[in-house]
Amino acid sequence: AAPPVNSACGLCGEADARPWLSLPAPLWTWCSRPALPLAVLGRAIENLSAEQPVQGLTGSAHAAAWLDEATGDLLLTREDVGRHHALDKLAGALSAWRQASPMGAMPPAGGTVLMSSRASAELVRKAVRMGARRLVCLGGATHLAAKWAHQSGLGLAAFARPGQMAVIAGTERFGG
């Protein structure tokens, strides 16, 4: 018999979560970037819906985007019914871009991920693994997401809207 198939994160239903409790080392520890201005983040949030054709047609898709931290432009955006899958697609696209780009055109390590969903611990872990310094979500954040963001040094913001957000972790990564 074939094993059951689901779209869970991998942590759900596991009897032993210990392998998940060790967070990966961030890729951006060498980076020194200023805080992300609220105005730049606001522009990115305003641009997100234009980059979501599946959401526009169905009302049932999540988006994950990599930001240009200077302008708020969305450099890469991916959609999927599942928020985990949207972030996985973004991680794959970002990896391919990094491998194909000459050094001067590479997207920076230590960037920002913007998601249309809530922030869960698994998304925090994935954002750290893909080299993000910040994860900004339009929805809320779980307690474990906040804990893992604090432990890893990831900036985490929830309930993000143009001009406002709830900074959950890494307040120094967000600015005026």
Side-chain angles (χ1 to χ4, degrees):
V5 176
N6 67 47
S7 63
C9 62
L11 180 58
C12 300
E14 289 294 318
D16 185 2
R18 282 178 289 185
W20 281 84
L21 297 178
S22 62
L23 292 167
L27 298 177
W28 43 259
T29 53
W30 56 270
C31 296
S32 175
R33 286 214 174 85
L36 181 66
L38 195 55
V40 169
L41 183 56
R43 279 192 295 279
I45 292 168
E46 289 171 350
N47 294 332
L48 187 60
S49 63
E51 297 292 323
Q52 291 187 263
V54 175
Q55 171 64 11
L57 289 171
T58 67
S60 300
H62 290 291
W66 189 263
L67 306 188
D68 179 325
E69 295 178 333
T71 65
D73 292 340
L74 305 176
L75 299 175
L76 291 171
T77 306
R78 295 296 183 268
E79 282 186 287
D80 199 283
V81 170
R83 57 196 164 90
H84 296 278
H85 296 298
L87 187 56
D88 290 343
K89 287 178 177 181
L90 179 66
L94 186 63
S95 177
W97 185 11
R98 286 180 174 148
Q99 290 176 10
S101 297
M103 287 302 282
M106 276 180 54
T112 298
V113 172
L114 173 62
M115 295 196 67
S116 62
S117 67
R118 67 183 176 92
S120 64
E122 305 82 29
L123 296 182
V124 165
R125 190 173 201 279
K126 289 177 182 186
V128 170
R129 288 186 70 131
M130 63 192 284
R133 287 173 29 115
R134 295 172 203 84
L135 173 60
V136 178
C137 293
L138 303 187
T142 66
H143 175 76
L144 191 54
K147 180 179 176 180
W148 284 6
H150 280 291
Q151 287 176 353
S152 67
L154 181 78
L156 176 62
F159 302 114
R161 302 291 182 270
Q164 64 184 28
M165 66 185 148
V167 176
I168 308 297
T171 55
E172 70 281 358
R173 302 213 184 279
F174 300 95

